[in-house]
Amino acid sequence: MIMGAIETVFTILIVLGIGYLISYLDWYKEENKSFLSNLILKVSIPCIVVKNILIDFTREELFDSSGLIIISFLGMLFILIISSLLGRIFKMDANRKSSFVSSASLGNLMFIGLPVIGNLFGEEGIPYLMIFYLISTIFLWLVFVPMFKEKEEEDSLRGRLESLLSIPLITLLISMILLLLGVSLPEILIRPISMVGSMGTPLALIFIGGVIYEVGFKNIKIQRDTILVILLKFIIFPSIMFALAVALGMNNLQIQVFTIIGGMPTMTQIGVIADEYSQDSEFVMTNIVVTTLLSLAFIPLTMLILETLLI
C-alpha cells in the first residue's frame, strides 16, 4: 500500500504541475477559472457522487453507516474545539482566528481527497469519503462561514441553510434517499455518468495547480499560525480520526480511509470565502498552498504509519 501512496503522490504532483504550467502560459484566464470550477463542482463531482453512492453502494452499507457518521461528526467537532482553543491561547484577533480555525479544520475533500482516496483504496473507499463530506459541508455552512460574517443579519438561519444546499451535497442527499428506496439507474445512464465523473479528478488537480501558480511561491510567508495549521492538519486531526475509528470498532479499510481524510490539505473554498468577507485571505491562501504541497509528503508517511500500526 505504501508504494500505492507514493505512486498516487507522483500522479497528483504531475497533474498539479500541468495546472501550474497552464496558468504560467496564461491559458488559464478568469473566465476559464470560473468555467472549470463550475464544471468540476456542479457537473463532474455530482456524477461521481451518483456513481459511488447510487451505483456502487448498497442499502445494507448505507444502513450500517451510522458509525461512520458518528466518527465524521465527532472528528469535526474535536478539531473545531482544539483549533478554537489554540486560537484563544495564542491570542489571535477575530479575523485571524476565523481563518485559522477554518484552515485547520476543513479539508480539500473533493479536489484532493477524491483522487487520493480513489487511487489508494479504489471505489470501495469513496462512500466513506462522501459520508465525511456530508458532515464536513454541514459544518462549513452552519459553523465556519458564519465565523467570517460581520453583520448579524447575514448570519440568519435561513441564509445558512440556503448556503448549505450546494449541488454536490444535494446530489449526495438525493442519491442516498433513492438508494434507501431501492431505486436503481437505468443501464443507459450508468456509462455517461461514469464518463463525466471520471473527468473530476484530473480537472480538480489542474484547478489546484492554477491556484498554486496564482498565489506564487514568492508570496508564501510561513508564520507561526501556519505552522500550527500544519500541526493540526497532518498530526492532530489524523490522530483524532484514527483514535475514533479504532474506538468505534471500524475495520482496517475504514480506519485507513478516515485517517487519510483527516490529513487532507486546507479546503480551497475557504480562500474564496475569506476573500469575500475580507478576513485575512492572504493567510488562508498561504495555508492552502503550503498544506497542499506538504500533503504530498505526509500521505505516504501516514500510510506507512498505518501499515505498521494495523499489522
Side-chain angles (χ1 to χ4, degrees), residues 177-192:
I177 292 170
L178 292 176
L179 182 62
L180 287 173
L181 294 175
V183 176
S184 57
L185 288 177
E187 196 68 29
I188 195 172
L189 292 179
I190 294 177
R191 180 171 292 181

Side-chain angles (χ1 to χ4, degrees), residues 266-285:
T266 299
M267 179 188 284
T268 309
Q269 293 94 313
I270 292 298
V272 178
I273 294 168
D275 184 65
E276 181 177 350
Y277 295 108
S278 302
Q279 299 286 323
D280 212 348
S281 59
E282 182 179 339
F283 170 67
V284 175
M285 293 307 295

